[in-house]
Amino acid sequence: MDMTPYERRLDRPTRIKLPEFQYNGRLKHVLFADQFDRPMLENFNSLSNMVRELSKGRETQLFLHNLLSEKRAMLYFTQASTRTFLSFMAACQLLGMSVAEIRDPSVSSEYKGESPFDSMRMFSSYFDLVVMRTPHAGFAEACAYLMNDLDQFNERNVPVVNGGSGSDEHPTQALLDVYTISHCFEFASERDSSRWTQFGEYRKSYPGLARGLDSKVFGFCGDIRRGRTVHSLASLLANFSDVTMYFVSPPDDDLRLPPTMRESLSARGVKVFEYDTLDDIVDKVDLLYMTRIQWEHDKDNAKRTAPTAVNADFILTPERAERMKSYAPILHPFPRNAEIPPEVDHNPRAMYFRQARNGMWVRAALIAHLFDVDGMIVARHREMSSGYHDYNVGSA
Ligand code: NCD
């Protein structure tokens, strides 16, 4: 893909780019995890909770459904996707948006030689939001520059959301991961009462355990170098304090933690360690984030392995899962290959199906933020939780 017109802007340090993806103090485009700081993450966590709670009752569901019913979204996914695509679709539907999709460029005019940037501009003529997934790192960002340039000329332009760009970034997956982790680290249970709490129970075995994401050890296993979900999540988790990260990957430079990532995490105060096998870390981590080997990135065909051929040292067998701390959640962005056998699904630590479902709430919260209707969600939620009665109705 020819990104020459955007190269100069793409090559700048992220910190310099960030203001270009904001508008009036809120996000305009969502491209990288570095756009989120801790207060924003906390805000998105609570907004996502509100969306989840409002989507339970019929009346409050209808409220959500009216929020953006005049808006249309384009899901432009030219790389395989199940969860990201479907949860964005469900999120748009929750907010009443209508949705269109292009998943195969061979059935669009790109087949006739149309440039993907012209396609993008067409989408912005018909739709109000473009969510995109592409095999090309930097393409979503370049599309955001295209939109910003249109804005300069007072032409129609729309927000761009990165739903996964090459082996680069996947910021919305990281947002839902942080939401899931925050939930897990509240250590709450429906069985909690004044006499028994899940947290109290855990503290009997782990007296130093504290709620929240500070002072935790996060373990990542699998394809660290090419796993875009790992890159974005590690960057979001670096917003918390006293964070330690353990990275485990098969012994291959194509899979290992890239030195640039180690440096940028260390520069943000994260204590970074690399290990050779899952056995080295399973019983030490507060959370384990498993990923598959991203074999589709192997240019060297001889190196391409079958998705099922996972090195045994990097498989979370039921026995290894049992050795983990009892409160430590297991996450996986999915799709999985052989690195988590289905027998682990019934382990109470397995959170990956809940994690996938959370994508809906978090993505709806993000879209609500982009269209500036998040304040209405907060107000409606407050009304719902306080059993609102306007005693002044009818008075002078
Ligand atoms: C991931 C992706 O596409 O980056 N999946 C997802 O979005 N939930 C992970 C992967 O493909 O391995």
Side-chain angles (χ1 to χ4, degrees), residues 151-206:
D151 198 20
Q152 293 282 312
F153 290 101
N154 273 331
E155 301 274 6
R156 200 183 142 72
N157 66 95
V158 303
V160 174
V161 176
N162 176 4
S165 52
S167 57
D168 184 21
E169 281 251 18
H170 194 349
T172 67
Q173 174 71 39
L175 278 182
L176 76 92
D177 293 341
V178 165
Y179 175 73
T180 307
I181 299 168
S182 304
H183 250 260
C184 292
F185 288 173
E186 278 167 20
F187 303 118
S189 152
E190 279 168 12
R191 287 162 53 222
D192 281 356
S193 69
S194 53
R195 306 179 64 186
W196 184 93
T197 64
Q198 180 77 74
F199 185 54
E201 195 63 30
Y202 286 143
R203 295 252 291 187
K204 284 187 198 158
S205 316
Y206 309 99

Side-chain angles (χ1 to χ4, degrees), residues 79-85 133 163-166 169-170 173 176 226-230 289 291-294 296-297 332-337 339 355-356 363:
Q79 194 189 29
S81 174
T82 302
R83 279 146 293 272
T84 307
F85 180 84
R133 164 169 290 193
S165 52
E169 281 251 18
H170 194 349
Q173 174 71 39
L176 76 92
R226 304 176 302 189
R228 56 192 175 195
T229 63
V230 173
Y289 194 86
T291 62
R292 71 184 173 92
I293 302 302
Q294 314 267 313
E296 68 274 25
H297 293 290
H332 191 309
F334 269 44
R336 67 172 147 186
N337 291 157
E339 62 281 353
Q355 176 189 4
R363 289 176 168 131

Side-chain angles (χ1 to χ4, degrees), residues 98-172:
S98 37
V99 188
E101 60 179 81
I102 287 190
R103 304 195 70 174
D104 178 0
S106 73
V107 296
S108 81
S109 282
E110 281 177 35
Y111 180 68
K112 303 180 195 165
E114 180 157 70
S115 99
F117 291 104
D118 277 353
S119 298
M120 190 66 193
R121 185 157 178 195
M122 292 306 146
F123 301 152
S124 72
S125 307
Y126 302 136
F127 297 94
D128 303 291
L129 167 73
V130 179
V131 183
M132 57 191 291
R133 164 169 290 193
T134 129
H136 306 288
F139 179 45
E141 186 184 339
C143 288
Y145 294 132
L146 168 69
M147 293 297 128
N148 285 359
D149 292 347
L150 290 169
D151 198 20
Q152 293 282 312
F153 290 101
N154 273 331
E155 301 274 6
R156 200 183 142 72
N157 66 95
V158 303
V160 174
V161 176
N162 176 4
S165 52
S167 57
D168 184 21
E169 281 251 18
H170 194 349
T172 67

Side-chain angles (χ1 to χ4, degrees), residues 237-378:
L237 293 175
N239 282 304
F240 294 87
S241 42
D242 188 26
V243 165
T244 305
M245 294 187 193
Y246 292 169
F247 294 95
V248 177
S249 52
D252 181 327
D253 283 344
D254 281 344
L255 309 178
R256 251 194 285 265
L257 178 72
T260 47
M261 186 171 160
R262 172 187 263 278
E263 281 153 29
S264 71
L265 289 171
S266 306
R268 295 177 66 188
V270 178
K271 294 180 266 309
V272 179
F273 300 92
E274 282 178 86
Y275 290 92
D276 295 329
T277 67
L278 200 43
D279 279 325
D280 296 331
I281 68 163
V282 273
D283 54 342
K284 299 184 185 69
V285 293
D286 294 307
L287 168 135
L288 183 58
Y289 194 86
M290 295 291 296
T291 62
R292 71 184 173 92
I293 302 302
Q294 314 267 313
W295 48 268
E296 68 274 25
H297 293 290
D298 282 330
K299 292 197 179 63
D300 176 0
N301 266 344
K303 232 173 138 184
R304 258 186 198 215
T305 49
T308 44
V310 177
N311 181 329
D313 285 345
F314 304 91
I315 295 180
L316 184 64
T317 58
E319 297 71 37
R320 286 189 176 120
E322 252 343 294
R323 283 171 44 211
M324 291 173 62
K325 292 178 176 170
S326 57
Y327 61 81
I330 303 164
L331 268 68
H332 191 309
F334 269 44
R336 67 172 147 186
N337 291 157
E339 62 281 353
I340 303 186
E343 300 83 78
V344 177
D345 298 357
H346 300 295
N347 188 310
R349 300 170 183 83
M351 285 295 150
Y352 27 89
F353 288 107
R354 204 172 295 178
Q355 176 189 4
R357 183 168 164 79
N358 286 342
M360 255 188 325
W361 321 126
V362 174
R363 289 176 168 131
L366 183 68
I367 295 169
H369 168 91
L370 291 173
F371 287 103
D372 205 356
V373 293
D374 45 339
M376 291 165 76
I377 292 179
V378 175

